[in-house]
Amino acid sequence: MNIATWSIRNPIPSILLFALMAMAGAFAFFRLPVQELPDINLPLVAVSAELPGASPSQLETEVARPIEDAVAALEGLRQIRTTITGGNVQVDAEFTLETTLSDAQTRTKDAVDSIRSELPSDLLPPTVTSTNFAEDPILILAVQSSRMNETDLSWFVDDPLFRTIRAVSGVGRVERVGGAEREVEVVIDPVRLSGIGATVDDVSRALRQMQQQSSGGRGQIGGEEQAIRTVALADQASELEALPILLSNGTTVRLDQVATIRDGNAEREQVALLDGQPAVGLNIYRASGANEVKVAHSIRTALDELKARTPGLTLTHVGGSVDQTTEQYDASMAMLYEGAFLAIFVVWIFLRDWRSTLVAATALPLSILPTFAAMYWFGFTLNTLTLLALAVVTGILVDDAIVEIENIERHRRMGKAPIEATKDAVNEIAKAVIATTFSLVAVFLPTAMMSGYAGLFFTPFGWTAVVAVLFSLLVARLLTPMMAAYFLRGEGYTESEKSRRAQERLYLSKVRWCLAHPKTAITATLVFLAASVGLVFFIPAGFLPPDDGDWTEMSIELPPGTALQTTLEASEDVRLALTDVDGIEHVFARVGQSEPSTSGEVRQASLALVLAPRGERPSKSEVQVAIRESVARIPGIRSSVGDGGGEKLELLLTSDDLPALDRAAQSVVRELRALDGLTNINSTASAERQEIVIRPDLQRAAERGVTTEAIGEVVRIATRGDFDVEVGRLNLDRRQVFIRVRLKEGVRQDLTAIADLRVQGKDGLVTLGSIAEISLESGLSRIDRYDRKRYVSVTADLDDMAQGDAVADAETLPAVLALPATVSLVPEGDAQIGDEITASFLLAIAAGIVCIYCVLVLLFRDFFQPFTILSALPLSIGGAFLALFVTGSSLVLTAMIGLVMLMGIVAKNSILLVEYAILAIQDRGLSRTEALLEACRMRARPIVMTSAAMIAGLTPIALGIGFDASFRQPLAIAVIGGLVTSTLLSLLVVPVIFEVVDDLERRIRTLLGPVFPQPVHKEYATT
């Protein structure tokens, strides 16, 4: 049954069907979550273990290696990456994509639990958590108050502010950055303590045992059940002064006899500053699957209400992904509207009939709205990639309708009634419309079915495009014929006969010349193709194009061992240096944090730079160059500028031969500094800091009854306080405050004072210096490991250099080519993901071509003529490269998507020509040359119309007007360039190739005879 003619005879079902689909799409659109990227649950598991005060070298041997060995035995493990800093071990295990996240987390936890007895007894219980690949804070806020000091503001953030934010639906978690942590400090007087024969750990232990409440016990007074609690808690810090302390030697003293009690703040490990003024930072994350824009809006509304109730409170937005997400969403929707308008305008220019234009225009909303319903059903979101799919297929969605309307208009000009003209036109064009649509489906389907990392990102993109294209076919075969039959009036728009004839004569004369000189035509085409494809070596390559957003990140690092105050002063020097950089509105510094959502060392700082709105500043890339130049004048710091997205080069060198690894890293850094386009070249090699090493004389210690464990405990408590789980607590209304026992700060600044620390021996107190050697030595401040080997990371910022070019140059350095056999180069960062995704796209292009060929063979029932259609594909590739080269764009991920699109779009044009030529030969008995000329005359107009509509739909994206179109622009440029050249050349070259392929087919059939299947069409003359 022909559904096109059926819809003409039965219009009501078609109208009802599309009305219901449109309503379902509108319903789904307002319920689709808006996100920057789709939710991706990669099987990434993080194991974190803490042993406060332990050195990286100690943790590597005692903690990291046992955990790595346990995790490495798990099935499906892909790689392990370990970071070891003072007191902390982080093991990140990545499993194959076939492994579910829950299974990976469970098996990792079981593996870590199985070796718990092999780990140090004082190690805090390791935690095993899952890692969200695309998890960035949706909002980063700087909180300040004119009426609260830093301690009160920090508690305000921790309590009412956190409760307000967590009450918002869709909030995942909230983190505080910087601020002050209230703590009661018990500062021991070592002289008084020695006088009573006690040690600092005696006081800490006694305080913990006395200052607590114990549950347990059961009472039955009055015939009722009661719980029994033992409560010995102070209500405020001043009450601790009279607290009796029972020491291990049996004596009892008041706490204020040996110590001074201070109700203050804990030692700082992080500081947050907004434009040089103290602030408290806030990182807010959305829950998985939540609508990023809606959650951020609800948070802002709740915070506005809180601000109205809290005089003096200031909240400054200093970062987060939601602004980028909102802008990308608004830009995509605007591009969708603009592209649709321009595509429809192009249709009107050709048809000059508002009724015909309206019929063609209905294909856009009635293809896109049902697509929203399908996306909702599939569980997709409105993110950068799905919106990109809709934006780029805008011009494609009207193609089928254009072809049908143009053919209907031609039949109307023959004097036929609208219904008769519509039936004849849609039947005539049916095979071409179906073939062109399924060629696009054949292109996008391999993208939708990608595996690996590419599949996680681009499966929604591919399915969105496939569904939209299929709905456009449904519109073209059901709704367009019905509307044309009953809505069109008159005989259609007729161009000036003289003008039309002149255009036809000019075009057909070129076609005749090409048919008469096939070798010249094909040679010229091959020369153009070779020249344009050769341009690929002059086009920069990378993973993602640099964006022009209103926010960037900068990190600074000082030498190992640098104190927090020194890092704070360095970050202020950086901020002051940036005051001369045009376009920076705010600087939010997080001292003691290396990245926005990760912990760091006190020698590191991260600066969020809020830029002025686009149009009021130079481009983001220019601002970053100016930042690097300004900061380069500050001595003693390492800096890195950029928030990722193809702005950095990272190389990993791994080895078990540590001297060879350090030498190799130094050689690579030295040679990278000779390359143009790279700045801030750093490595993690030889990052050593001073450490105080206590080596007990085991013989003397044993004679005095002192154990190594006792020495370690006394030193730890005296210099930094006991572990958090071991300290006493002051219970307040809604929180607990740690009570930390330690000696006065001067002990940490003098080796002699450390040597004078007392340790409990069998005959009384023993000075540490009498049983141990104390020295100042050096040790690694950080250890990085990859697959159970040490590694050194070499990083560099990219100025105007594309990431792909930087990686290629780095891999050809003599130092890299001559790496020792014990040192390996490991791909890492965006370059690694980019290589995998690029390989997947190349495979998708190849699979798309094969799928197109199979579709054409099935539709035309011929194995040879599909090659004629596919011959236009290389013509588009050359045009795409030429456009990228002329505009100075890079061959990045989005340009690769454009190349995939071109496969289907260009095939559509060739199908229209070849299908009509075969139809003219079969049904009208024309000779091959006459059929080709007739096909060119009849199908040139719809080919130009569909190409022009596609180009018009992509023009706003290519121009990048208004919004930041840096992500989509390379795609639009590549597609427009490929469309222009392929349309112009295919109109001339495809007829020539048709004859060449047909001659080849006839020769093969003559040689093979009956063993070769005969063509479906009739035999025809070759003249």
Side-chain angles (χ1 to χ4, degrees):
M1 181 180 66
N2 190 323
I3 64 171
T5 55
W6 176 87
S7 71
I8 296 173
R9 295 192 303 270
N10 303 277
I12 299 301
S14 299
I15 296 173
L16 181 61
L17 173 65
F18 281 98
L20 291 175
M21 290 196 301
M23 287 189 291
F27 175 85
F29 175 74
F30 291 104
R31 284 160 177 77
L32 284 170
V34 179
Q35 300 174 353
E36 182 180 16
L37 291 172
D39 284 321
I40 298 172
N41 291 321
L42 287 176
L44 300 175
V45 179
V47 181
S48 181
E50 288 188 51
L51 183 58
S55 68
S57 299
Q58 174 190 351
L59 290 174
E60 181 184 33
T61 303
E62 299 181 3
V63 179
R65 285 177 176 167
I67 292 178
E68 288 175 345
D69 292 340
V71 173
L74 298 178
E75 183 180 358
L77 184 71
R78 191 166 182 258
Q79 65 181 34
I80 302 176
R81 187 163 177 171
T82 305
T83 302
I84 309 169
T85 56
N88 183 271
V89 174
Q90 177 87 14
V91 179
D92 295 317
E94 178 182 345
F95 291 80
T96 57
L97 296 178
E98 292 76 21
T99 308
T100 62
L101 179 59
S102 58
D103 181 50
Q105 186 171 351
T106 300
R107 290 193 288 123
T108 302
K109 186 178 186 307
D110 291 342
V112 174
D113 290 342
S114 68
I115 60 158
R116 185 64 182 89
S117 60
E118 302 175 20
L119 302 177
S121 58
D122 49 356
L123 180 76
L124 300 183
T127 59
V128 180
T129 57
S130 59
T131 302
N132 191 334
F133 178 80
E135 188 180 71
D136 288 321
I138 62 171
L139 283 174
I140 302 176
L141 303 175
V143 186
Q144 294 175 308
S145 175
S146 59
R147 299 194 177 187
M148 289 183 274
N149 60 33
E150 194 173 15
T151 303
D152 293 338
L153 180 61
S154 299
W155 172 239
F156 176 84
V157 169
D158 288 343
D159 188 36
L161 192 58
F162 270 29
R163 283 190 284 111
T164 299
I165 295 172
R166 286 170 176 155
V168 175
S169 176
V171 172
R173 75 176 195 272
V174 190
E175 295 175 345
R176 171 163 69 84
V177 179
E181 198 75 44
R182 184 179 172 187
E183 184 176 276
V184 176
E185 187 178 17
V186 179
V187 183
I188 301 295
D189 185 325
V191 177
R192 294 183 189 176
L193 197 63
S194 298
I196 61 173
T199 63
V200 65
D201 60 314
D202 288 337
V203 177
S204 179
R205 188 184 313 109
L207 181 61
R208 182 177 66 251
Q209 293 170 349
M210 296 294 292
Q211 180 65 21
Q212 66 173 259
Q213 58 178 336
S214 301
S215 60
R218 174 186 174 195
Q220 292 181 326
I221 299 175
E224 297 181 357
E225 294 283 338
Q226 297 92 21
I228 301 176
R229 283 193 305 145
T230 303
V231 181
L233 297 174
D235 294 327
Q236 52 188 353
S238 59
E239 296 179 10
L240 295 175
E241 295 178 351
L243 184 70
I245 299 295
L246 179 63
L247 302 176
S248 58
N249 58 8
T251 61
T252 302
V253 296
R254 281 169 51 106
L255 185 58
D256 60 357
Q257 290 180 313
V258 294
T260 303
I261 293 88
R262 301 172 184 166
D263 188 354
N265 296 325
E267 281 192 292
R268 294 290 190 90
E269 293 184 351
Q270 283 188 356
V271 177
L273 299 173
L274 176 63
D275 297 327
Q277 299 301 314
V280 178
L282 205 60
N283 295 336
I284 306 173
Y285 301 81
R286 66 170 173 85
S288 179
N291 187 323
E292 189 170 319
V293 174
K294 184 178 179 180
V295 171
H297 175 73
S298 300
I299 291 172
R300 285 168 170 157
T301 301
L303 292 179
D304 287 342
E305 295 174 358
L306 181 64
K307 283 173 61 179
R309 302 192 304 266
T310 312
L313 183 66
T314 303
L315 300 173
T316 306
H317 179 232
V318 293
S321 63
V322 70
D323 286 345
Q324 177 77 2
T325 301
T326 303
E327 184 177 23
Q328 288 290 339
Y329 173 77
D330 292 340
S332 297
M333 297 306 295
M335 297 298 178
L336 193 61
Y337 301 143
E338 294 167 4
F341 171 78
L342 290 173
I344 294 169
F345 179 72
V346 167
V347 175
W348 182 83
I349 289 293
F350 279 91
L351 299 180
R352 299 295 177 90
D353 184 332
W354 71 270
R355 290 177 179 270
S356 298
T357 303
L358 182 61
V359 172
T362 56
L364 275 171
L366 293 180
S367 299
I368 291 178
L369 284 174
T371 303
F372 289 137
M375 291 170 60
Y376 184 78
W377 187 66
F378 286 148
F380 295 162
T381 61
L382 292 174
N383 55 65
T384 302
L385 296 174
T386 53
L387 288 172
L388 177 66
L390 292 176
V392 299
V393 299
T394 299
I396 297 175
L397 298 182
V398 296
D399 280 6
D400 292 339
I402 287 175
V403 171
E404 290 202 343
I405 287 294
E406 196 279 336
N407 210 36
I408 293 170
E409 287 290 302
R410 183 172 59 83
H411 280 266
R412 287 174 62 206
R413 289 195 294 269
M414 296 177 185
K416 299 179 182 178
I419 293 181
E420 181 186 0
T422 301
K423 287 182 178 180
D424 292 344
V426 297
N427 288 332
E428 179 183 88
I429 204 73
K431 182 181 286 187
V433 169
I434 295 172
T436 55
T437 299
F438 277 96
S439 68
L440 278 168
V441 171
V443 164
F444 285 116
L445 198 58
T447 305
M449 302 181 72
M450 282 181 177
S451 60
Y453 284 103
L456 294 174
F457 287 99
F458 288 98
T459 292
F461 171 89
W463 280 118
T464 300
V466 166
V467 170
V469 169
L470 288 176
F471 276 124
S472 74
L473 175 62
L474 193 62
V475 172
R477 301 307 295 158
L478 275 180
L479 201 65
T480 301
M482 183 271 295
M483 290 184 66
Y486 295 102
F487 189 66
L488 299 184
R489 297 288 184 271
E491 297 181 354
Y493 168 71
T494 304
E495 293 178 287
S496 167
E497 185 68 18
K498 182 177 180 181
S499 173
R500 186 175 66 83
R501 292 290 184 185
Q503 293 172 6
E504 283 186 3
R505 283 196 302 270
L506 177 63
Y507 167 55
L508 292 178
S509 67
K510 304 297 183 185
V511 176
R512 287 191 181 93
W513 187 92
C514 290
L515 291 173
H517 304 84
K519 293 182 179 179
T520 305
I522 292 176
T523 301
T525 303
L526 292 176
V527 169
F528 165 78
L529 179 62
S532 54
V533 171
L535 292 175
V536 73
F537 299 104
F538 302 96
I539 300 174
F543 176 42
L544 292 175
D547 67 273
D548 194 23
D550 296 336
W551 181 84
T552 190
E553 189 75 20
M554 177 181 182
S555 62
I556 64 172
E557 182 179 335
L558 277 71
T562 301
L564 179 68
Q565 183 60 35
T566 306
T567 309
L568 180 61
E569 293 169 358
S571 70
E572 274 298 283
D573 291 340
V574 171
R575 183 186 67 83
L576 293 174
L578 297 181
T579 56
D580 297 330
V581 177
D582 184 26
I584 298 179
E585 287 191 342
H586 296 292
V587 178
F588 180 55
R590 294 158 295 209
V591 182
Q593 191 175 40
S594 57
E595 294 179 10
S597 58
T598 63
S599 60
E601 303 176 62
V602 295
R603 67 188 181 95
Q604 297 173 328
S606 176
L607 281 70
L609 309 178
V610 182
L611 308 182
R614 199 176 301 107
E616 300 178 14
R617 57 168 171 81
S619 69
K620 180 177 172 180
S621 298
E622 293 172 337
V623 172
Q624 291 181 160
V625 170
I627 291 171
R628 294 183 184 109
E629 292 174 352
S630 299
V631 175
R633 298 191 294 266
I634 301 176
I637 69 168
R638 290 179 175 180
S639 64
S640 179
V641 181
D643 49 5
E647 297 173 346
K648 294 183 183 297
L649 169 70
E650 183 175 9
L651 303 175
L652 256 60
L653 301 175
T654 70
S655 179
D656 284 327
D657 187 345
L658 302 186
L661 181 62
D662 284 346
R663 289 193 300 270
Q666 292 169 7
S667 299
V668 170
V669 168
R670 184 169 56 252
E671 293 182 7
L672 281 176
R673 286 175 177 157
L675 296 179
D676 294 330
L678 300 180
T679 57
N680 297 331
I681 301 166
N682 300 309
S683 83
T684 58
S686 302
E688 294 187 345
R689 67 172 182 180
Q690 287 188 325
E691 58 183 19
I692 300 171
V693 179
I694 300 173
R695 289 188 170 84
D697 184 318
L698 299 181
Q699 182 64 37
R700 281 187 288 168
E703 291 173 355
R704 307 290 290 274
V706 179
T707 63
T708 303
E709 181 180 5
I711 293 174
E713 186 172 1
V714 166
V715 171
R716 182 183 69 247
I717 295 175
T719 55
R720 69 176 306 275
D722 210 341
F723 299 135
D724 289 349
V725 295
E726 300 292 336
V727 299
R729 288 169 173 79
L730 187 67
N731 281 12
L732 303 181
D733 288 342
R734 296 192 303 274
R735 58 173 165 167
Q736 287 187 327
V737 177
F738 289 161
I739 303 172
R740 187 92 54 187
V741 177
R742 65 165 67 93
L743 295 182
K744 58 185 179 181
E745 188 174 345
V747 173
R748 291 181 289 185
Q749 301 171 356
D750 186 1
L751 287 180
T752 304
I754 294 176
D756 286 339
L757 291 176
R758 275 18 179 212
V759 184
Q760 193 71 46
K762 63 180 181 181
D763 297 324
L765 298 183
V766 178
T767 61
L768 183 59
S770 66
I771 56 171
E773 177 186 347
I774 304 172
S775 61
L776 198 61
E777 300 179 8
S778 63
L780 292 173
S781 64
R782 174 188 176 112
I783 296 175
D784 296 309
R785 294 171 60 83
Y786 184 92
D787 282 347
R788 297 188 287 176
K789 292 182 180 181
R790 289 268 189 100
Y791 80 81
V792 170
S793 175
V794 179
T795 59
D797 291 344
L798 309 179
D799 279 347
D800 295 326
M801 196 174 194
Q803 188 182 64
D805 295 341
V807 172
D809 289 348
E811 290 178 346
T812 57
L813 291 174
V816 174
L817 297 175
L819 285 175
T822 56
V823 180
S824 302
L825 177 66
V826 179
E828 184 56 27
D830 288 343
Q832 180 189 19
I833 299 175
D835 289 344
E836 184 170 334
I837 292 179
T838 299
S840 297
F841 266 104
L842 292 175
L843 181 61
I845 291 174
I849 294 173
V850 172
C851 290
I852 291 174
Y853 176 77
C854 294
V855 168
L856 296 177
V857 167
L858 293 174
L859 286 173
F860 290 107
R861 291 185 252 181
D862 191 306
F863 285 96
F864 286 89
Q865 285 306 333
F867 287 109
T868 303
I869 296 169
L870 296 178
S871 66
L873 302 187
L875 305 179
S876 66
I877 300 295
F881 289 156
L882 181 61
L884 291 172
F885 176 77
V886 170
T887 57
S889 301
S890 299
L891 185 59
V892 291
L893 175 63
T894 46
M896 295 287 293
I897 298 174
L899 297 180
V900 172
M901 286 182 57
L902 280 172
M903 299 296 102
I905 298 169
V906 173
K908 292 184 70 167
N909 296 339
S910 298
I911 288 171
L912 291 175
L913 277 178
V914 172
E915 188 271 343
Y916 193 90
I918 293 176
L919 188 68
I921 294 169
Q922 291 179 4
D923 296 345
R924 297 169 58 186
L926 297 181
S927 68
R928 185 175 66 186
T929 301
E930 290 173 343
L932 288 171
L933 291 172
E934 181 69 5
C936 290
R937 186 176 70 85
M938 301 302 295
R939 292 294 169 82
R941 182 183 172 90
I943 287 174
V944 173
M945 285 178 66
T946 55
S947 297
M950 185 68 193
I951 291 171
L954 291 172
T955 297
I957 303 176
L959 295 177
I961 300 172
F963 296 96
D964 177 20
S966 55
F967 181 75
R968 301 177 295 273
Q969 202 167 29
L971 179 147
I973 291 172
V975 173
I976 290 175
L979 267 177
V980 170
T981 57
S982 65
T983 301
L984 295 176
L985 292 175
S986 61
L987 286 172
L988 298 173
V989 178
V990 167
V992 177
I993 298 177
F994 184 99
E995 288 195 335
V996 172
V997 171
D998 186 67
D999 288 340
L1000 177 63
E1001 179 181 5
R1002 293 173 65 83
R1003 293 191 186 98
I1004 293 176
R1005 292 185 187 281
T1006 301
L1007 290 174
L1008 298 181
V1011 301
F1012 201 91
Q1014 293 299 313
V1016 174
H1017 55 76
K1018 302 174 184 178
E1019 291 296 323
Y1020 48 83
T1022 59
T1023 59

